[in-house]
Amino acid sequence: MSFDEAHKLGQQHYRNQNYEAALEAFNEAVARSHVTSVSLLDNRAATFEKLQDFPCALRDGKRMIHLEKSGTKGYLRTGKILQLMGKQEVALGIYRYGLRNVSTDDPNYKVCEFWPCFRKGLIMSNYQLLHGMFNKLSTLVEPSKTIDPLLILPLELAEVVFKQLDFNNVVSKGSLTHARFNRLAVADTDIIKYAARCKGLIHLEVRNGFSGQSIIDAAPLAASLTTLYLAETSEVTLDAVTVLLRECRKLVRADFGSLFSSGAVATWPKDMFQLRRLRLVGGKTQRLGSVALNLPDLFAKAPNLQELCLNNWKRHSGFTRAPFHDLSNLHLLDLDKFQMIVFPKLPPHLHSLNLSCNYELNLTCDPSRDNLLKLNLESLVALRFDDINNADGSALYTLLHSTTANLKKLAFNCSGSTDHSLVEALTNLGKLDHVIDLELRDSDITDHQLQVLAKRIHHLKRLDISNTQITGVGVKALVTNQKGKIECLVLNNCQGISEDAVTWARSMGVMVQYSFPDRLKGKNLLKDELDPETARLLTPDMRNIIINPYGTIDTAKAEIHFFDRRPEKKCQLVMTGSAASYFDTPPLYLYTSAKAGILGLTRSFRTVIAESGNVTGKMVAPLMKKTSLPPNFVL
């Protein structure tokens, strides 16, 4: 058996969870290799880890670091094993040592497996993953002794606190390297002063409320600045962005959350060779829309971009096709709500591609078809292709045909075709073999197709089938066939799924996100709804009644029971009603009835519980109201 055969056999045994056979094959591969590869050692260390042989796994991890000091794999594997051995502080030291040796331009990317992050960040570089593990473990080993008052105090109280603080002492020595400014804490003149004083400042975040001019004046004063982040609430003009990029010559990452386009076409500064990430989000005012970005000029002057996010830009009649294929180093391209007509030419080394909400994209025109047929995306790991008008299954099929079987994250829905037929075709093509996160929201997939999918995809960990007609039968088949591999199910607004199916899935160890379908939204309760098979009048959905009065009665009875067992302690029963308990709020008829029921329950209970002597009762009735308490930028 050759080295390659032994290595592939070990990987196959590992995927089948036959770890003893996998270890034997990996040992054979190591014995036959002339130069031991880091990937092989990583595979064997993972196998030792599964077999609970941590000392051997640790030995391979250390050997990986010795062989490839500038790579992240050895540090990540060794740190993980040390944590499993209970040596968190040693693991933290390994991560810290790795961050000193690994380049921030590490081209390797990995799908982020922290499910809440999947919607925003599809993939992250291995350096970012290593940095994230370091930060996470640092919090556990060395917990912070400070608390951000903005996270725990109401904004009006936080503002009073900040007004009493003198921030001059914070930066008096000029040793600050990372800063996050909030309008409550410092004034426009302060941000300029701090930036000038802290010559070593490399990371600057501006969260809200500052004028564009103050940011333009402040950022260039920090001569070492490499990362600049402006939140959505800090709106600046496109001209200001070009000034900042011209003055801050060391910027590697630049995020601009809201850009005001007055109609002038951007003139980008020369020689932005150091820029690796650029995020430009269009604001509410866009006179020329995406034309103002002057993308051909931008790409010519920032040729080394690795991550590019162009979000929320309107199309203009003078729009020219963006030459994304000129960015040969581009790994991440996010075009969410970037309106264009023709499917663009793309660079070959993309790891992540987001084409969501491109409502004007015409995939049937000849230029789009030509670009789709010429695609070569062998490195693609994550793809979002949803909410695109006139997107048929053939376009997605052609797009995925240009990829290898390494796709890990896929989200799509196609209005012009049968989604479940497309899923079956992609499965047969082998494009879904390694997918771990799949989103099929708003599709027409059936229970039968979900069962077929569950049998064919062996690495699936997260599935989003919100707003589909899937029932509990499909959910049970999926969880059963996956045999404990599925970790998260998103079932929001699935009309055919009962609470029993959700409870059963959770009992099997699956994290389920599920919200009740809002059947009253946009509907009139008094309008006749008929059963399509029997033509009989359907019973109204009574879940509002079940959740509110029924649930409140059960809870109140339990509370009174325990209150009676502690007669020496003063207790209070508080029920949550609503302004709808007093006012009519059509068309929310059942909601109003339910909240009025809680008001009646409170009134009837108060005479009974008053006899106990230690229990009082009341109801709160929340109502949204604009007041003068929050600062203006919050409202």
Side-chain angles (χ1 to χ4, degrees):
M1 184 185 302
S2 67
F3 162 75
D4 289 335
E5 292 174 339
H7 194 183
K8 291 180 180 179
L9 180 61
Q11 291 174 329
Q12 183 63 41
H13 284 315
Y14 186 90
R15 284 193 291 268
N16 295 333
Q17 301 182 11
N18 188 356
Y19 302 120
E20 290 81 2
L23 179 59
E24 185 178 345
F26 287 140
N27 286 336
E28 179 73 15
V30 171
R32 293 185 177 277
S33 63
H34 299 292
V35 179
T36 305
S37 70
V38 173
S39 296
L40 175 58
L41 289 176
D42 193 30
N43 291 155
R44 190 169 72 169
T47 308
F48 279 130
E49 180 187 319
K50 292 293 185 181
L51 294 172
Q52 303 291 305
D53 190 348
F54 297 134
C56 289
L58 184 61
R59 184 174 62 247
D60 278 351
K62 291 180 177 179
R63 191 175 172 189
M64 289 165 62
I65 296 175
H66 177 74
L67 290 173
E68 195 175 87
K69 191 175 181 180
S70 61
T72 56
K73 286 187 176 180
Y75 304 108
L76 290 170
R77 178 65 63 186
T78 304
K80 180 180 180 181
I81 295 167
L82 287 169
Q83 290 185 70
L84 292 173
M85 298 174 70
K87 300 179 179 181
Q88 278 77 13
E89 293 185 359
V90 181
L92 186 63
I94 290 292
Y95 291 147
R96 185 182 291 110
Y97 179 64
L99 290 174
R100 291 201 299 266
N101 293 302
V102 176
S103 170
T104 57
D105 294 336
D106 177 14
N108 296 310
Y109 279 71
K110 181 174 181 178
V111 171
C112 176
E113 297 187 11
F114 300 103
W115 304 122
C117 302
F118 250 126
R119 289 289 297 176
K120 294 294 182 182
L122 298 180
I123 61 174
M124 57 168 56
S125 70
N126 279 338
Y127 176 84
Q128 292 171 319
L129 183 59
L130 179 62
H131 199 281
M133 294 301 298
F134 172 77
N135 290 338
K136 182 179 179 181
L137 189 57
S138 296
T139 304
L140 295 175
V141 176
E142 303 169 356
S144 175
K145 297 179 181 179
T146 61
I147 298 176
D148 185 351
L150 289 173
L151 298 179
I152 61 173
L153 293 178
L155 288 175
E156 62 272 15
L157 294 183
E159 187 172 15
V160 173
V161 172
F162 281 124
K163 286 181 178 178
Q164 306 303 317
L165 299 177
D166 180 8
F167 285 87
N168 289 324
N169 293 328
V170 177
V171 293
S172 58
K173 297 181 180 180
S175 59
L176 195 66
T177 59
H178 289 65
R180 176 183 296 174
F181 289 118
N182 187 292
R183 189 67 181 84
L184 288 178
V186 294
D188 288 77
T189 54
D190 292 331
I191 188 175
I192 299 172
K193 178 171 56 179
Y194 297 156
R197 188 174 298 174
C198 301
K199 299 299 183 181
L201 188 67
I202 61 175
H203 181 97
L204 175 61
E205 292 186 31
V206 180
R207 286 293 172 180
N208 52 45
F210 292 95
S211 66
Q213 188 59 49
S214 65
I215 298 171
I216 294 175
D217 293 339
L221 296 177
S224 302
L225 196 65
T226 61
T227 301
L228 176 62
Y229 174 87
L230 303 187
E232 181 181 353
T233 48
S234 292
E235 187 177 58
V236 294
T237 65
L238 190 56
D239 290 338
V241 171
T242 59
V243 171
L244 288 169
L245 292 176
R246 182 180 299 111
E247 299 297 329
C248 302
R249 303 303 299 171
K250 294 184 179 180
L251 273 182
V252 176
R253 301 170 61 89
D255 285 58
F256 302 97
S258 182
L259 296 183
F260 174 92
S261 174
S262 60
V265 176
T267 303
W268 299 101
K270 297 179 180 179
D271 303 332
M272 295 186 291
F273 298 115
Q274 78 292 342
L275 196 61
R276 296 294 185 270
R277 172 183 168 85
L278 180 62
R279 178 171 172 262
L280 304 172
V281 180
K284 296 180 180 179
T285 304
Q286 299 178 30
R287 290 197 186 162
L288 287 182
S290 54
V291 175
L293 293 176
N294 193 7
L295 294 179
D297 184 51
L298 171 63
F299 297 166
K301 295 175 178 177
N304 296 322
L305 279 173
Q306 295 179 354
E307 299 180 14
L308 177 63
C309 303
L310 304 173
N311 306 142
N312 201 34
W313 286 96
K314 300 176 182 178
R315 184 182 65 84
H316 187 266
S317 58
F319 177 71
T320 56
R321 299 174 193 175
F324 297 112
H325 59 286
D326 289 346
L327 298 173
S328 58
N329 297 315
L330 197 64
H331 297 308
L332 184 149
L333 180 58
D334 184 352
L335 299 178
D336 182 30
K337 297 179 182 178
F338 181 80
Q339 305 308 328
M340 51 190 173
I341 297 178
V342 177
F343 189 91
K345 293 181 180 180
L346 299 174
H349 301 299
L350 278 180
H351 291 86
S352 175
L353 176 61
N354 184 357
L355 294 172
S356 296
C357 304
N358 277 266
Y359 305 117
E360 300 185 41
L361 185 61
N362 184 356
L363 295 169
T364 60
C365 66
D366 290 339
S368 291
R369 290 185 180 277
D370 290 342
N371 291 341
L372 280 167
L373 291 173
K374 295 177 182 177
L375 280 179
N376 180 18
L377 300 175
E378 294 185 352
S379 302
L380 198 65
V381 175
L383 171 65
R384 294 198 66 85
F385 194 77
D386 52 356
D387 297 326
I388 299 177
N389 289 346
N390 302 316
D392 57 14
S394 63
L396 179 61
Y397 187 87
T398 304
L399 178 58
L400 289 180
H401 201 278
S402 67
T403 68
T404 62
N406 294 322
L407 202 64
K408 299 287 194 289
K409 168 79 169 70
L410 175 62
F412 75 90
N413 55 50
C414 298
S415 58
S417 69
T418 306
D419 294 302
H420 63 256
S421 300
L422 180 58
V423 170
E424 185 174 0
L426 293 175
T427 304
N428 294 333
L429 191 63
K431 297 301 181 181
L432 304 183
D433 289 353
H434 295 90
V435 169
I436 63 176
D437 187 343
L438 181 62
E439 293 187 14
L440 300 173
R441 295 178 293 110
D442 303 298
S443 68
D444 63 357
I445 190 168
T446 65
D447 284 335
H448 173 68
Q449 293 298 327
L450 188 61
Q451 294 177 40
V452 174
L453 192 69
K455 293 178 181 179
R456 296 291 300 275
I457 302 182
H458 304 295
H459 302 281
L460 192 63
K461 292 186 178 182
R462 178 182 181 272
L463 177 64
D464 186 346
I465 46 177
S466 300
N467 299 313
T468 64
Q469 298 303 312
I470 294 297
T471 69
V473 175
V475 171
K476 186 172 183 179
L478 173 69
V479 175
T480 302
N481 287 323
Q482 286 292 306
K483 298 179 181 179
K485 295 179 182 178
I486 190 78
E487 296 178 3
C488 179
L489 272 177
V490 184
L491 307 173
N492 295 325
N493 296 320
C494 288
Q495 305 280 350
I497 294 179
S498 66
E499 295 176 68
D500 292 338
V502 174
T503 302
W504 177 83
R506 287 171 175 165
S507 71
M508 300 299 291
V510 180
M511 183 178 72
V512 180
Q513 297 179 26
Y514 176 70
S515 62
F516 289 111
D518 187 0
R519 299 184 181 178
L520 292 179
K521 187 175 182 180
K523 296 183 179 180
N524 189 337
L525 178 68
L526 303 180
K527 182 179 178 180
D528 290 348
E529 291 188 11
L530 305 179
D531 188 309
E533 296 181 0
T534 64
R536 292 185 177 181
L537 191 66
L538 292 175
T539 303
D541 183 6
M542 305 298 290
R543 293 188 183 184
N544 259 324
I545 304 298
I546 295 173
I547 294 172
N548 284 285
Y550 285 22
T552 303
I553 290 173
D554 286 344
T555 304
K557 182 177 180 180
E559 288 178 346
I560 292 174
H561 168 75
F562 287 103
F563 290 165
D564 288 343
R565 296 172 62 176
R566 306 175 67 181
E568 76 286 352
K569 185 175 180 64
K570 295 293 184 181
C571 304
Q572 188 172 64
L573 178 63
V574 181
M575 302 187 194
T576 303
S578 168
S581 301
Y582 298 93
F583 309 113
D584 56 324
T585 54
L588 303 178
Y589 306 109
L590 287 179
Y591 180 80
T592 303
S593 302
K595 291 302 184 180
I598 292 180
L599 176 60
L601 182 65
T602 305
R603 288 172 173 169
S604 62
F605 264 5
R606 65 186 177 188
T607 57
V608 177
I609 61 179
E611 298 175 358
S612 64
N614 70 317
V615 182
T616 57
K618 69 177 183 180
M619 183 193 81
V620 294
L623 173 67
M624 292 186 65
K625 183 175 179 62
K626 181 177 179 179
T627 69
S628 59
L629 290 178
N632 290 331
F633 67 82
V634 176
L635 299 175

